[in-house]
Amino acid sequence: MNLLLTVLTPFAGALIPPFMAGRGRHFAAWSAGAVAALALLWLLPLLPAVFAGETQVLTLPWLPDYGLDLAFRLDGLAMLFALLILCIGLLIILYAAYYLPRDDGLGRFYFFLLLFMGAMLGIVLAENLLVMLVFWELTSLSSFLLIAYKHHYSDSRQAARMALAVTGGGGLALLGGILLLGHIAGSFNLSVILAAGDLIKAHPLYLPMLVLVLLGVFTKSAQFPFHFWLPGAMAAPTPVSAYLHSATMVKAGVFLLARLFPALSGTEPWFYLVVGAGAVTVVFAAYGALFKHDFKGLLAYSTVSHLGLITLLFGLGTPAAAVAGVFHIINHATFKASLFMAAGIIDHECGTRDMRRINGLIRYMPWTGALATVAAASMAGVPFFNGFLSKEMFFAETLHPTVLGDWNWILPMAATLAGILSVAYSVRFIHDVFFNTGEPMDLGRTPHEPPRWMRIPVEILVAICLLVGVLPAFTVAPLLAVAAAGTLQGPLPEYSLAIWHGFNAPLLMSFVALAGGVFVYSQRRRLFAWHDRFLPEISGKGVFEALYHGLLCVSRGITARVDNGSLQRYAAWLIGFTVLLGAYGYLSGPSVPFTGSRELLSLDGVSAAATLALVIAALVTTFMHRHRLLAIVVLSVVGLVVALAFVRLSAPDLALTQLSVEVVTIVLMLLALFYLPQFAPVESTSARRVRDAGLAVVAGLGASAITWSLITRPFETLSGFYLRESVPGGGGSNVVNVILVDFRGFDTMGEITVLAMAALGIHSLIDGLRLRLPQRDMFGRPWAPGAHPTFLVAITKPLLPLSLMVAIYILLRGHNLPGGGFIAGLVAGVALILQYMASGIDWTAARMRINYHAVFATGLSFSALTGVGAWFFDRPFLTSTYGHMHWPLVGEFELASAMVFDLGVFLTVVGAVLLILAELGKLSGHASAPEPASATLAAATGGTR
């Protein structure tokens, strides 16, 4: 269970920092750090087994019929990323406490950060790819919140929107690719997929699946042409950039490349797509980084370039290239996170990120300058730093023969060019900020070293850059070996982490890169002039915003034509489309006779009379709908006849439910009708009435035809299964209730959640609404002075305890006899709402102090906890159990866990119904001054208020 706890701890602990922020920002920081440390502690006991070569898999059945299990996997690759996420996350938590403004309580920031941390852990530890997709989308949503943390700035909002659009669109493509991959492999579990590489690559759907998966990878890891969202995301606070855009989120794409490497790599489509995207990105982004005056923008483009380098390595498809890719993931996370934090320190102390205004900063911040220099040297690939080792491996892998044939020279050329540019922008960052001649210009403040604890995270990461660069065999070698083995799912190739391999081609490429980079930087003025003259910058952000606003204008035009506020038009579109869809399905299918051979039941006089009453009531409701009170009264006849039909067909549960719903909805409509004119105005033209009548006739005939075809043919249903398994499987003889709370409890859980959401929506719409109370009836006569009829007041008080007792009785008997939580909730809701109607809002609220939000929240919690409880017994979500108990005097009786779930349904229904109806009743308490009698009379007769 440690894997599950590692993932869930950040989500559960995300609520703690906002609570602790009220006591001070340091309390918020310490609590966030404690949550991340606890997640790390859950993980640590599992590491020795992983270093020993074991792969640990935890599987909790969830929806096995759909291939969806709550499964997690810890091998070398997952361990590496989990350690990066948690360890660098702890450093970011410490750094952010000193970086963010003093008036920021940090509660909201750490809440978002921990949500993101949990989502990233879910991605890297997921065994089931469908589970991984859920966490994949959670990273997009939580990163959106983090990028838009300074939401009062338009740049932050636009950058967050752009990042969400690009990565979210890629996530949709990835969803399609994963579904195809699971279809090809026959499972969504990595244990099966990674072992089925030959089957996957030989399948006809391999290419479309690969393209969709790579779209998700390229958008997440900012590969060309989807790179533009990452530099735009630099509008986020620097701790966000240091965490999301160097060490974690942008690594999710390359993580997926590494994770699926054994199953998808080694084909020409893989090579051309992955290597092509990586090669273009590594050179293009390195070139872009050189010409950025904002040092955070420079680091953003350098991040894109290094992600392209990693992508290119995995695209080569060889085991040695995969090892180099994993190694550079480790090195890039350390030097780039430290560089971003150093950049944040500079921005924090100088108040600007423009390198043209910052000069000679080494005199003011010598220790920060030294740290930044070491990290930048590692990024440039200078010997004796960790970046040099992985970049040499990169150079070596590009020299190996590939499918390019005579064009094999392209990859070494691109690698060397990217290395030259990498050195050039690294030198520019260090020289222009720290060692350029002159004094800082127009800073408005005197720079100085940051607080000691703000610098410690940078020092730790820079120390790692140095130690790995000088002593790789004693520092990173074991971690690299186990992570590479987890990537390859097989034996490791020969590779060496030695600093010196003799004079060879990779070393020559490194020297060319170093010398060429320094030379390019020395010619920067000419290059800048040439760039500004011949290569005007095309802003990816500008292109995106132009496309976004264009799409917005088109959608507004379409919406204006379709969504004009007319409910009749919406209904016409819906019914018309349904009719066309049904007609297409019937006409395109095989020809079948209209009437089947099944013998129908005989029609008795009572059923005929009830059917006639139903038809007449429906027709009267339709033709008399402008007389609102009469229409509601006649409409209630329709509901009553339907309830009687359920009784006639031996469905007492449905009859009780229909009757209870009918009472609640009639009360709801009567409360709403109190604020509406008694007569509805004529709104439909003759043409519209003809259209509506035609649609009604066609739809009615279609529904009748479908019904007739079904009832005249023999058919098999699942009823036999439920009738057989209701008692032995669910422990209840009321099949309907057992289906709701046991066999299809997941559906019921969704339904009560929707009910609670609807109640919250209605509450938001009505809360604070101001309406004028009508003071006269339709004939101009004033309302009677007695607000509450004496008879109704007298009768509702003794009825309340009786009704609540009936509701509890229906709830408790529901598992074996007609009843259940939903019906009991409606009965209790009607009993309580009658108190409002009889005695008024103030009188009832003074005696019944109930927080309806808490009531249905408690109900949802009961239902959810009942489902989660099954996990502790290694059973699927919402699996119920039952047993028989014997108490003295009481005797033997049955207890079922589904009763707790049914109690949750009861509380949710009661809370939601009361919240909706009470909000409608409160409108009278919020009413403004009485309107004039003339206005009331005009409203009653259909005029304008």
Side-chain angles (χ1 to χ4, degrees):
M1 292 297 289
N2 279 39
L3 283 176
L4 180 63
L5 293 173
T6 301
V7 175
L8 295 183
T9 296
F11 289 110
L15 297 173
I16 300 176
F19 173 76
M20 299 300 292
R23 303 188 177 187
R25 54 190 283 119
H26 290 294
F27 284 92
W30 279 106
S31 62
V35 171
L38 180 59
L40 183 60
L41 288 175
W42 290 122
L43 187 68
L44 289 179
L46 307 176
L47 301 189
V50 178
F51 276 105
E54 297 180 16
T55 296
Q56 303 188 37
V57 177
L58 171 68
T59 302
L60 299 174
W62 189 6
L63 298 174
D65 292 342
Y66 296 93
L68 181 57
D69 295 324
L70 196 63
F72 297 97
R73 172 193 187 92
L74 185 66
D75 57 9
L77 180 64
M79 180 191 70
L80 166 64
F81 274 86
L83 289 175
L84 288 177
I85 293 164
L86 291 171
C87 294
I88 296 182
L90 279 168
L91 297 178
I92 295 297
I93 289 171
L94 173 61
Y95 176 83
Y98 293 90
Y99 176 85
L100 292 173
R102 292 187 179 275
D103 58 353
D104 191 328
L106 298 179
R108 186 167 62 95
F109 177 81
Y110 287 134
F111 173 76
F112 296 153
L113 191 73
L114 290 174
L115 286 182
F116 175 81
M117 181 183 291
M120 276 301 306
L121 288 171
I123 288 178
V124 302
L125 295 177
E127 155 74 1
N128 187 285
L129 288 182
L130 294 178
V131 174
M132 186 274 293
L133 277 169
V134 174
F135 290 111
W136 186 280
E137 294 305 313
L138 282 176
T139 60
S140 295
L141 293 173
S142 53
S143 66
F144 168 81
L145 297 172
L146 283 167
I147 296 171
Y149 184 72
K150 297 186 289 187
H151 53 83
H152 45 282
Y153 294 120
S154 61
D155 287 347
S156 298
R157 298 194 301 270
Q158 291 174 0
R161 184 175 62 204
M162 182 167 58
L164 181 63
V166 176
T167 58
L172 291 176
L174 180 62
L175 170 61
I178 294 301
L179 292 177
L180 287 177
L181 180 58
H183 169 72
I184 295 170
S187 173
F188 292 103
N189 289 336
L190 283 169
S191 300
V192 176
I193 291 172
L194 297 180
D198 293 337
L199 170 67
I200 293 170
K201 286 176 276 194
H203 199 277
L205 294 175
Y206 170 74
L207 183 57
M209 177 273 298
L210 179 64
V211 171
L212 290 172
V213 170
L214 291 181
L215 280 174
V217 168
F218 293 163
T219 52
K220 203 74 162 184
S221 286
Q223 297 299 286
F224 184 88
F226 309 107
H227 65 283
F228 55 87
W229 72 264
L230 180 57
M234 293 303 110
T238 296
V240 175
S241 302
Y243 192 46
L244 274 66
H245 305 137
S246 62
T248 52
M249 177 182 171
V250 293
K251 293 291 197 308
V254 293
F255 164 79
L256 193 57
L257 282 180
R259 175 53 79 204
L260 298 178
F261 183 84
L264 304 184
S265 66
T267 64
E268 286 194 11
W270 170 275
F271 177 86
Y272 284 115
L273 291 172
V274 181
V275 169
V280 172
T281 303
V282 70
V283 175
F284 172 83
Y287 177 83
L290 181 61
F291 294 95
K292 294 298 174 186
H293 301 300
D294 179 345
F295 55 71
K296 201 173 173 185
L298 182 151
L299 294 178
Y301 270 92
S302 72
T303 297
V304 175
S305 178
H306 282 270
L307 291 170
L309 184 155
I310 298 169
T311 300
L312 192 156
L313 283 170
F314 283 114
L316 293 174
T318 63
V323 173
V326 173
F327 191 22
H328 200 68
I329 287 173
I330 300 172
N331 294 335
H332 179 261
T334 53
F335 67 66
K336 189 53 65 68
S338 58
L339 274 171
F340 267 115
M341 285 192 274
I345 291 173
I346 299 167
D347 184 17
H348 190 270
E349 300 302 327
C350 297
T352 181
R353 304 198 306 243
D354 192 340
M355 290 185 288
R356 294 168 296 186
R357 294 173 54 193
I358 304 174
N359 299 293
L361 207 58
I362 195 69
R363 294 187 295 273
Y364 301 92
M365 305 170 65
W367 186 239
T368 300
L371 294 173
T373 301
V374 172
S378 180
M379 180 171 66
V382 176
F384 303 107
F385 299 101
N386 62 350
F388 170 76
L389 299 175
S390 54
K391 192 165 284 189
E392 268 219 326
M393 295 174 71
F394 166 62
F395 288 151
E397 291 307 313
T398 60
L399 292 169
H400 291 168
T402 65
V403 296
L404 293 175
D406 294 338
W407 296 89
N408 280 340
W409 57 269
I410 290 179
L411 290 182
M413 178 76 72
T416 306
L417 178 58
I420 291 171
L421 294 171
S422 176
V423 172
Y425 63 66
S426 299
V427 173
R428 185 189 177 204
F429 172 66
I430 295 302
H431 183 265
D432 285 14
V433 173
F434 292 102
F435 298 101
N436 208 354
T437 58
E439 291 291 324
M441 297 184 297
D442 302 327
L443 296 186
R445 66 183 75 172
T446 300
H448 56 82
E449 291 288 2
R452 181 75 184 89
W453 286 96
M454 186 177 182
R455 206 172 54 227
I456 282 180
V458 187
E459 294 170 346
I460 293 174
L461 293 173
V462 167
I464 293 174
C465 294
L466 278 169
L467 290 173
V468 172
V470 177
L471 301 170
F474 299 97
T475 53
V476 77
L479 180 61
L480 175 60
V482 70
T487 300
L488 297 174
Q489 295 295 304
L492 292 174
E494 292 187 6
Y495 65 92
S496 174
L497 295 182
I499 301 173
W500 175 254
H501 296 94
F503 289 101
N504 52 22
L507 182 63
L508 176 61
M509 294 168 71
S510 294
F511 284 149
V512 170
L514 289 171
V518 173
F519 174 77
V520 167
Y521 177 69
S522 68
Q523 303 298 312
R524 62 190 180 281
R525 301 188 188 280
R526 295 179 181 178
L527 284 174
F528 286 174
W530 177 85
H531 175 81
D532 293 339
R533 181 177 179 183
F534 295 105
L535 293 175
E537 184 174 359
I538 299 176
S539 170
K541 176 182 176 182
V543 173
F544 173 83
E545 288 297 324
L547 291 174
Y548 172 81
H549 287 292
L551 182 63
L552 196 61
C553 290
V554 172
S555 63
R556 283 174 177 169
I558 296 174
T559 303
R561 297 293 302 273
V562 177
D563 184 9
N564 66 340
S566 171
L567 294 177
Q568 288 176 308
R569 175 174 289 190
Y570 304 154
W573 278 107
L574 176 63
I575 296 172
F577 177 77
T578 304
V579 169
L580 291 176
L581 190 64
Y584 171 78
Y586 179 78
L587 296 176
S588 61
S591 178
V592 294
F594 180 69
T595 302
S597 58
R598 183 184 182 189
E599 184 178 353
L600 301 180
L601 298 175
S602 58
L603 181 64
D604 57 89
V606 174
S607 299
T611 304
L612 182 62
L614 178 67
V615 172
I616 293 173
L619 290 174
V620 171
T621 302
T622 302
F623 289 109
M624 303 296 291
H625 70 277
R626 290 185 59 242
H627 300 263
R628 286 173 167 153
L629 180 60
L630 175 62
I632 290 176
V633 172
V634 179
L635 184 62
S636 64
V637 176
V638 176
L640 178 61
V641 174
V642 171
L644 292 174
F646 289 141
V647 174
R648 172 69 174 82
L649 298 173
S650 302
D653 281 275
L654 296 180
L656 282 171
T657 303
Q658 173 67 31
L659 197 59
S660 303
V661 169
E662 195 68 28
V663 173
V664 171
T665 52
I666 291 298
V667 171
L668 172 65
M669 288 188 287
L670 286 173
L671 285 173
L673 188 62
F674 182 66
Y675 300 97
L676 295 173
Q678 296 188 29
F679 293 96
V682 178
E683 295 178 342
S684 300
T685 62
S686 298
R688 182 179 294 180
R689 286 197 291 270
V690 170
R691 179 204 66 185
D692 295 344
L695 277 175
V697 170
V698 173
L701 290 175
S704 300
I706 293 173
T707 304
W708 181 260
S709 298
L710 286 174
I711 64 176
T712 56
R713 284 177 169 79
F715 60 92
E716 295 183 1
T717 69
L718 292 173
S719 58
F721 168 80
Y722 290 129
L723 290 170
R724 290 192 307 271
E725 298 296 327
S726 177
V727 173
S733 56
N734 182 5
V735 182
V736 174
N737 186 259
V738 172
I739 291 173
L740 291 176
V741 300
D742 191 327
F743 294 122
R744 303 195 63 175
F746 199 80
D747 292 350
T748 305
M749 181 74 189
E751 290 166 1
I752 61 175
T753 303
V754 171
L755 177 63
M757 292 170 62
L760 288 174
I762 294 172
H763 166 73
S764 300
L765 290 172
I766 297 179
D767 189 38
L769 185 64
R770 299 296 186 266
L771 294 177
R772 293 190 176 188
L773 279 173
Q775 301 297 312
R776 299 173 181 273
D777 64 11
M778 58 180 294
F779 302 108
R781 296 173 298 194
W783 293 109
H788 309 294
T790 304
F791 177 76
L792 187 60
V793 172
I795 200 173
T796 53
K797 292 179 181 179
L799 278 179
L800 178 61
L802 180 62
S803 301
L804 293 179
M805 186 170 61
V806 170
I808 294 173
Y809 172 71
I810 291 175
L811 169 66
L812 295 177
R813 78 196 294 262
H815 209 52
N816 291 289
L817 294 171
F822 190 80
I823 301 171
L826 291 173
V827 172
V830 171
L832 292 171
I833 206 66
L834 279 176
Q835 305 304 308
Y836 284 101
M837 298 181 65
S839 303
I841 297 293
D842 297 333
W843 185 91
T844 309
R847 290 160 177 78
M848 192 169 61
R849 302 180 183 278
I850 299 176
N851 185 339
Y852 300 129
H853 298 81
V855 171
F856 63 69
T858 303
L860 288 173
S861 301
F862 277 10
S863 299
L865 291 175
T866 305
V868 171
W871 289 348
F872 294 95
F873 300 94
D874 294 328
R875 302 296 300 277
F877 181 70
L878 277 176
T879 301
S880 67
T881 186
Y882 68 95
H884 293 272
M885 307 290 293
H886 183 85
W887 280 1
L889 301 178
V890 177
E892 184 175 316
F893 64 97
E894 181 188 20
L895 278 179
S897 62
M899 294 177 63
V900 182
F901 181 88
D902 215 13
L903 176 62
V905 174
F906 170 79
L907 292 175
T908 304
V909 172
V910 170
V913 169
L914 288 182
L915 180 63
I916 295 170
L917 297 179
E919 287 296 335
L920 280 173
K922 288 178 183 178
L923 288 178
S924 59
H926 294 160
S928 57
E931 60 185 281
S934 58
T936 306
L937 182 59
T941 55
T944 303
R945 286 193 177 185

